Amino acid sequence: MHNTDKSGVILKFWNEIENSRTFNTNDYIEQRGNESFEEQCQRILETIILNYSNTKPAKELFKRLKLDAIFKVVKDITNSQAIEILYNNEYLPYRLDLHNFSVYGFTLGYASSSVKQLSLAILATASNDNYAKKHYEDFIPYLLKILNKKKEISYIQIQQWIIKKKREDMKNIVKYVCKELNITQKILAEEIGVSEGTVNRWSAKPEDVPLQTHKTLQLLLENAQLKENQEKLQKAISLLEEVKNSQNSSI
C-alpha cells in the first residue's frame, strides 16, 4: 500500500472511531505547524498501537494495513538448541550482511551470540537496517521475555517497544541525536553552532534545552532520515538500471 493511501486509511479510521466513541478516547490529534499529512497520520497510528492495539477495530485496521504479521518460533531439527523464525510463512534470514554474530542459527538463551543475531534480524525486519544495528542489544530483554513465554511475537508488539523507546529516548534529545547520527557531542555542538560545554550541559540537564534548539535537533534527525531514504531510492533505481541493461544486452 502506498504511503498516501495508508495515511488516508489511518485518518479515516481515526475519524470514524472518534465519531462513534468506540474507544471512549479524548485523544484528539490535530496537524502540527510544519507537519505533513503523512506525519500526522503516523502519530495517530502510534497512538492506536500504544493504547488500543487489543481492540477489535484496531486489529481490523492492522490487518488492512498488513501490520498483523507474526514472528513465530519453530525448532531447527538439525540442532537441538537452535530455533528458526517463521515470518509471513517464510524462514527469517539471519541477516549476516548486517553483522555476523553467529552462523549457527538463532537461540533463545541470554548472553549468546546467536540471540544477538536473532534480535538483529527481527528488529531489521520490523523497522530498518540502521535502526536494528543501533538498538538490537536494547531489544533483547523485551524480545526474550515474550518469545520464551509465548514462542511468538507480533509486529505490533515490536512497534510498541520501538515507539516507547523513542519517546523515552527523546526525553534526552541530545543523547538521542548523537546516537542516531553516530556523532559525538563535540561534533553536534559544531553542527548547531554552540560550544561543546553547552551541549554537555544540555545532555546532563535535558530540561534546559531551549525550544528552538529542540526543534533544530529534530530537524537534524528528519534530514538524516530523508538522506537515508534518498540513498535507498537511488540504490533501487541503480538496481533497476542494471536489470534493464542486462536484459537489453541479452536480446
Side-chain angles (χ1 to χ4, degrees), residues 76 79 81-84 92-109 111-121 136 140:
D76 180 356
N79 187 329
Q81 299 297 319
I83 62 167
E84 295 288 350
L92 188 71
Y94 294 164
R95 295 309 310 269
L96 299 176
D97 57 310
L98 296 182
H99 199 291
N100 186 352
F101 291 114
S102 172
V103 297
Y104 301 109
F106 303 134
T107 67
L108 295 179
S112 68
S113 57
S114 51
V115 82
K116 291 181 180 179
Q117 201 72 53
L118 172 65
S119 179
L120 181 69
Y136 71 89
I140 289 174

Side-chain angles (χ1 to χ4, degrees), residues 119 123 130-140 161 165 169 176 179-180:
S119 179
L123 199 54
N130 284 340
Y131 186 88
K133 286 189 289 186
K134 293 171 185 172
H135 301 290
Y136 71 89
E137 288 187 289
D138 295 331
F139 182 56
I140 289 174
W161 182 85
K165 177 170 177 54
D169 289 344
Y176 182 64
K179 183 171 184 178
E180 290 300 304

